[in-house]
């Protein structure tokens, strides 16, 4: 029998409650790791990804010799770090002669590897290489726009996969309400070929247009790079089905006899049972005779007043 340890202090109970499964999950944290050997380009890329996700990321600077995400057994340490830091996304950078400037982006489910995308970094430009007015620099934690340009993101399997991973990596925390004034950045991804994506980060600049709607301009603020897809691994079918399950409390129940229309909005149908009017006894409260007598009295019609004879007294 396994011995189950229960937390003794309130602090331990609060920490376990934070990492426990929730009906509505909070924002996904990203774990940033270094491989056995890294180049200056990979170091800069990892640093700038951490800067873009500084509000929701954990970065390790120590070299990791035993992490190989695509090899069996090489993902044990990665899953341990994911459990330790409570991160469901990770970015792993490495450099070798066979795969120079290599970047692996992956997702985890229940702290097990879910899917992986391996890309090579080319034509990298850091944030310091762009000159612009610092007043229009995006704020940390602001919600971004995403622009995916090219039909390949809908047709090619590799590009569809990297689109999902990039959206998960940079979209931030899911919110119900959004202030348009806080939208100050956009990530532009362009499909150059079937296995190459141009990725850049731009700031949104609002200018006067003579109307209520301002004119938007894109100012490239970096980083900018080409992502060459080398390897990718989709999620296992059983693990994918398990991750797509929805809690019964969050399932939307269908409303009976209710439909929605674009113009009229919410439309409902009300069913009234058949009313048996003929068999229902009605009270007899006719007031017609009373009204006729009242009218006759006012007009002086009807019977004349007759004086009553006095009663005779017996003598």
């Amino acid at each position: 029998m396994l011995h189950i340890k229960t937390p003794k202090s309130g602090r331990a109970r609060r920490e376990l409650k934070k990492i426990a499964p929730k009906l509505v999950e909070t924002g996904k944290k990203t774990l940033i790791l270094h491989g056995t050997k890294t180049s200056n380009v990979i170091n800069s890329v990892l640093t700038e990804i951490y800067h873009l996700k500084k509000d929701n990321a954990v970065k390790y600077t120590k070299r990791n010799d035993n992490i190989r995400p695509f090899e069996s057994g090489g993902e044990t340490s990665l899953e341990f770090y994911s459990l330790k830091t409570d991160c469901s996304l990770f970015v792993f950078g490495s450099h070798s002669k066979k795969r120079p400037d290599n970047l692996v982006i992956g997702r985890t489910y229940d702290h097990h590897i879910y899917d992986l995308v391996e890309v090579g970094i080319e034509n990298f430009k850091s944030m310091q290489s762009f000159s612009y007015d610092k007043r229009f620099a995006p704020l940390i934690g602001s919600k971004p726009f995403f622009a995916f340009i090219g039909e390949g993101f809908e047709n090619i399997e590799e590009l569809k996969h990297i689109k999902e991973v990039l959206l998960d990596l940079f979209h931030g925390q899911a919110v119900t309400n959004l202030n348009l004034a806080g939208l100050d950045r956009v990530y532009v991804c362009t499909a150059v070929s079937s296995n190459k994506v141009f990725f850049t980060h731009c700031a949104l600049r609002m200018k006067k247009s003579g109307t209520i709607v301002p004119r938007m301009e894109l100012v490239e603020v970096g980083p900018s790079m080409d992502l060459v897809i080398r390897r990718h691994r989709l999620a296992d079918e059983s693990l994918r089905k398990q991750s797509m399950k929805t809690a019964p409390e969050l399932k939307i129940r269908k409303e009976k006899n209710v439909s929605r229309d674009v113009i009229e909005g919410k439309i409902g149908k009300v069913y009234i049972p058949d009313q048996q009017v003929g068999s229902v006894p009605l009270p007899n409260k006719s007031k017609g005779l009373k009204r006729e007598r009242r009218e006759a009295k006012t007009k002086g019609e009807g019977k004349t007043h007759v004086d009553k004879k006095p009663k005779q007294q017996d003598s």
Side-chain angles (χ1 to χ4, degrees):
M1 296 293 291
L2 294 175
H3 178 66
I4 300 175
K5 289 185 178 181
T6 57
K8 300 296 179 65
S9 63
R11 181 180 179 183
R13 285 192 289 268
R14 288 192 297 270
E15 291 298 324
L16 287 178
K17 189 177 180 180
K18 287 181 183 179
I19 63 175
K22 306 177 183 63
L23 285 177
V24 180
E25 293 289 344
T26 55
K28 297 180 179 180
K29 292 171 63 178
T30 303
L31 177 64
I32 300 174
L33 298 163
H34 293 258
T36 307
K37 183 180 179 182
T38 56
S39 62
N40 293 332
V41 173
I42 286 297
N43 291 335
S44 300
V45 170
L46 295 178
T47 302
E48 300 207 354
I49 290 177
Y50 175 70
H51 179 77
L52 293 175
K53 293 181 61 67
K54 198 170 185 178
D55 58 331
N56 212 4
V58 177
K59 185 183 179 185
Y60 285 173
T61 56
K62 184 180 177 181
R63 307 290 177 180
N64 296 278
D65 300 335
N66 52 353
I67 294 182
R68 296 175 181 83
F70 281 91
E71 299 179 11
S72 60
E75 53 194 22
T76 307
S77 298
L78 187 59
E79 292 174 351
F80 169 75
Y81 290 137
S82 173
L83 178 62
K84 183 179 178 181
T85 57
D86 191 25
C87 293
S88 55
L89 293 162
F90 68 89
V91 179
F92 178 74
S94 61
H95 177 76
S96 64
K97 184 177 180 181
K98 186 178 179 181
R99 293 185 177 91
D101 301 330
N102 200 53
L103 198 71
V104 179
I105 307 171
R107 297 181 288 183
T108 62
Y109 173 73
D110 196 18
H111 305 295
H112 295 286
I113 299 297
Y114 181 76
D115 60 351
L116 299 166
V117 175
E118 185 183 57
V119 297
I121 306 299
E122 295 181 356
N123 303 323
F124 173 72
K125 295 181 181 179
S126 63
M127 296 180 182
Q128 288 76 18
S129 61
F130 294 93
S131 59
Y132 57 93
D133 193 347
K134 301 301 179 183
R135 293 179 300 170
F136 303 106
L139 300 175
I140 295 176
S142 60
K143 294 291 288 183
F145 281 111
F146 282 89
F148 290 93
I149 304 170
E151 297 180 355
F153 290 110
E154 304 296 332
N155 304 328
I156 303 172
E157 189 67 32
E158 291 84 354
L159 296 182
K160 288 169 64 177
H161 190 196
I162 196 172
K163 176 183 176 181
E164 294 179 6
V165 173
L166 290 175
L167 281 174
D168 244 3
L169 180 62
F170 291 108
H171 89 287
Q173 187 173 354
V175 294
T176 55
N177 298 322
L178 190 63
N179 186 4
L180 295 179
L183 296 171
D184 57 355
R185 65 173 70 191
V186 59
Y187 292 104
V188 181
C189 302
T190 307
V192 180
S193 63
S194 60
N195 66 336
K196 191 174 184 179
V197 176
F198 172 68
F199 175 86
T200 186
H201 178 220
C202 300
L204 288 174
R205 187 175 180 182
M206 299 183 185
K207 289 192 173 183
K208 295 181 179 180
S209 63
T211 60
I212 300 176
V213 181
R215 182 167 60 90
M216 307 297 292
E217 283 190 358
L218 297 182
V219 180
E220 197 170 7
V221 297
S224 171
M225 67 192 90
D226 289 333
L227 305 177
V228 181
I229 302 174
R230 291 172 177 166
R231 289 184 292 179
H232 78 111
R233 190 177 76 189
L234 297 174
D236 184 65
E237 188 64 24
S238 60
L239 186 61
R240 189 184 67 83
K241 287 182 179 180
Q242 187 179 356
S243 65
M244 293 296 179
K245 285 184 179 180
T246 306
E249 295 84 356
L250 297 179
K251 289 183 179 178
I252 301 174
R253 296 183 179 180
K254 185 179 179 181
E255 295 181 272
K256 293 183 178 180
N257 304 324
V258 174
S259 60
R260 299 184 182 276
D261 187 64
V262 179
I263 300 175
E264 298 182 4
K266 190 175 181 180
I267 304 171
K269 293 181 180 180
V270 179
Y271 291 93
I272 302 175
D274 188 16
Q275 299 181 3
Q276 305 294 335
V277 180
S279 61
V280 176
L282 300 175
N284 187 11
K285 293 182 179 181
S286 57
K287 298 181 180 180
L289 296 177
K290 292 182 180 180
R291 186 171 59 252
E292 290 178 1
R293 290 173 185 173
R294 195 163 46 248
E295 291 176 356
K297 187 177 181 180
T298 55
K299 293 181 180 179
E301 299 177 358
K303 295 181 180 180
T304 57
H305 180 71
V306 178
D307 295 335
K308 293 183 179 180
K309 292 181 180 182
K311 294 182 179 180
Q312 294 180 358
Q313 295 181 357
D314 295 336
S315 56

